[in-house]
Amino acid sequence: MALALEFYRSAPKYLGARTLGSKAPGLITGGLAPLRLVTQQDPEPTREGWARVKPRLAGICGSDLATIAGTSSFYFSPLVSLPFVPGHEIVGDLLDDCGDLKAGQRVVISSVLACAARGEDPPCEHCAAGNVGRCDRVTVGHLKPGLQTGYCAETGGGWSRLMLAHRSQLWPVPDGMSDATAVLIEPLACAIHSVFRAAVPPGGTVHVVGAGTVGILTLIALKAFTTADHVVVAAKHQRQRAAAAMAGADDVVRPEHAVKAVRRTGRAVKLTPERGMEFLLGGVDVALECTGSSSALDLALRTTKAGGRVVVSGIPGRGADLTPLWFRELDLVGAYTSGVEDLGDGVQRPTFEMAIELASNLPILEELVGATYPLGRWRDALDHAMAAGKLGTFKVAFAPQERQEI
Ligand SMILES: [Zn+2]
């Protein structure tokens, strides 16, 4: 029997959380929470290619918080199966031999439950090309619906003591890498993917909106994989700004000063509308929205030059004003999870492989993991994660094998 946090949604409770979630974050971890601590039957791998994984650390992601708070879109409802165990940023120990990997191997998990995991043969066109994040079959095949591990009723997720994963999801962790660094591989792979989606022109200017974990990892990926000449980072909280400066941002400002800061990078004209945020005619080549709020997306759209590109790196906030998208002929692109990246000259590499290599050379990454909690303290963990920016914390994670202190 294994301990797990389970997301179960009863409509009235869920709707309650949806109304209250944004106004009173503490309440979503109280009586209205769609989450509960349960003891589950140990999952058993019943199909070829599946194995048990014992999570060592499992991160809490903005998308998890949006799901629990009921603020994410109902669009997701047919893409998940209930009840599920959340947690898709995972480092753990393999308990069974799995293909070429031996039991005892420490692994990180590429979370998409795509064609390979679902036994879909032949795979969809996207999986065939390596773009597993774009898989069209995430609701069919052997498994119940679930776009990723952490949203599927059958696989379990990272916020538990035991879960299942498919060989296609497993990546061995180099021996010298700490668990705290390894738990950031999945979000780092997402950041690398969004930087490839950004297609920054050589010597281009970039605006990164937000410097929580996603923003900082995005900045690190920008430095590693592009030749961006000038990167402006807008961040609300002091520790975020300090981390952005350390990670190599050229200019770090509060969001309210970002329009001015971007104007300084070129010969942009700043205009102030009768209502709402000021904007530029001119601006950066590329902006990356890394917070999931509509005001951050507004800021990204309003500081990108005509013909430039805006990348949405997380579940987008609703209600952004798309007028600049039209008027400035911007390209608005999404960046969801990871897959393979095109390195030019016909060379492609799995994003996870690139993330593992980059993280191996950046042991300082582990400092982004600011707090870990046993599963029994899930309310404290989620409250901490919700207020992470304010509290000066980046990543909050569960340490599922830890016993709760009494
Ligand atoms: Zn597929």
Side-chain angles (χ1 to χ4, degrees):
M1 302 291 272
L3 208 58
L5 280 170
E6 185 180 75
F7 182 94
Y8 68 107
R9 183 180 60 186
S10 78
K13 282 193 180 178
Y14 180 69
L15 291 172
R18 198 178 167 78
T19 317
L20 295 168
S22 54
K23 290 175 197 156
L27 281 179
I28 71 130
T29 54
L32 293 167
L35 206 63
R36 62 188 173 196
L37 191 64
V38 296
T39 307
Q40 293 184 325
Q41 287 292 350
D42 284 358
E44 283 295 331
T46 53
R47 285 180 194 276
E48 188 64 28
W50 286 86
R52 293 170 301 163
V53 174
K54 205 172 150 181
R56 290 179 177 219
L57 288 177
I60 299 172
C61 165
S63 61
D64 300 321
L65 295 174
T67 304
I68 294 163
T71 54
S72 63
S73 166
F74 283 107
Y75 178 94
F76 287 113
S77 56
L79 296 170
V80 307
S81 49
L82 292 166
F84 61 77
V85 177
H88 59 272
E89 300 175 354
I90 304 159
V91 54
D93 296 301
L94 199 55
L95 294 193
D96 307 297
D97 291 347
C98 189
D100 52 322
L101 299 177
K102 295 283 170 251
Q105 172 69 53
R106 197 164 51 124
V107 291
V108 287
I109 291 173
S110 161
S111 48
V112 181
L113 291 167
C115 284
R118 294 176 170 279
E120 287 290 291
D121 191 21
C124 75
E125 56 173 316
H126 306 296
C127 285
N131 295 316
V132 290
R134 296 184 182 180
C135 180
D136 289 330
R137 311 267 166 81
V138 292
T139 58
V140 298
H142 293 330
L143 288 176
K144 287 185 179 169
L147 63 164
Q148 296 185 5
T149 293
Y151 296 98
C152 173
E154 272 180 86
T155 59
W159 300 1
S160 73
R161 292 220 172 124
L162 198 60
M163 55 172 285
L164 298 176
H166 186 259
R167 177 65 190 91
S168 60
Q169 300 181 282
L170 300 174
W171 293 84
V173 179
D175 286 341
M177 188 182 286
S178 69
D179 288 341
T181 300
V183 78
L184 293 167
I185 296 286
E186 196 277 343
L188 181 60
C190 296
I192 292 171
H193 184 61
S194 64
V195 159
F196 275 81
R197 294 284 290 154
V200 180
T205 51
V206 181
H207 184 195
V208 176
V209 184
T213 306
V214 176
I216 296 296
L217 295 178
T218 299
L219 184 54
I220 288 169
L222 275 168
K223 290 280 159 182
F225 298 108
T226 75
T227 55
D229 183 49
H230 193 85
V231 182
V232 178
V233 176
K236 261 189 192 168
H237 303 288
Q238 200 278 325
R239 279 206 67 191
Q240 298 175 337
R241 291 193 293 274
M246 219 174 90
D250 297 288
D251 198 0
V252 184
V253 294
R254 294 172 184 275
E256 59 269 29
H257 299 143
V259 175
K260 259 187 212 152
V262 171
R263 185 179 58 165
R264 286 197 298 267
T265 68
R267 296 170 57 194
V269 174
K270 181 164 76 72
L271 297 174
T272 306
E274 282 179 22
R275 290 179 72 171
M277 201 188 296
E278 48 198 11
F279 65 90
L280 298 177
L281 299 180
V284 287
D285 295 301
V286 178
L288 295 107
E289 197 292 291
C290 298
T291 75
S293 78
S294 57
S295 60
L297 185 52
D298 275 330
L299 180 56
L301 289 162
R302 286 171 187 236
T303 52
T304 304
K305 71 158 86 156
R309 177 173 282 214
V310 174
V311 181
V312 176
S313 294
I315 299 179
R318 276 170 287 177
D321 182 353
L322 294 180
T323 308
L325 175 79
W326 164 75
F327 177 58
R328 300 279 81 196
E329 297 198 329
L330 303 176
D331 290 333
L332 181 63
V333 305
Y336 165 64
T337 191
S338 61
V340 291
E341 307 308 335
D342 201 340
L343 305 181
D345 299 328
V347 180
Q348 286 193 325
R349 270 188 92 184
T351 328
F352 251 71
E353 198 177 283
M354 297 163 73
I356 290 168
E357 190 176 288
L358 180 57
S360 299
N361 297 321
L362 278 174
I364 196 173
L365 268 189
E366 69 181 16
E367 290 182 24
L368 288 176
V369 179
T372 62
Y373 289 86
L375 294 173
R377 289 185 61 203
W378 63 272
R379 290 187 168 86
D380 295 336
L382 295 180
D383 282 341
H384 191 166
M386 285 237 171
K390 242 180 260 167
L391 296 171
T393 308
F394 291 90
K395 181 58 70 182
V396 179
F398 285 107
Q401 309 304 327
E402 233 173 69
R403 306 280 149 185
Q404 187 174 359
E405 305 136 32
I406 298 167

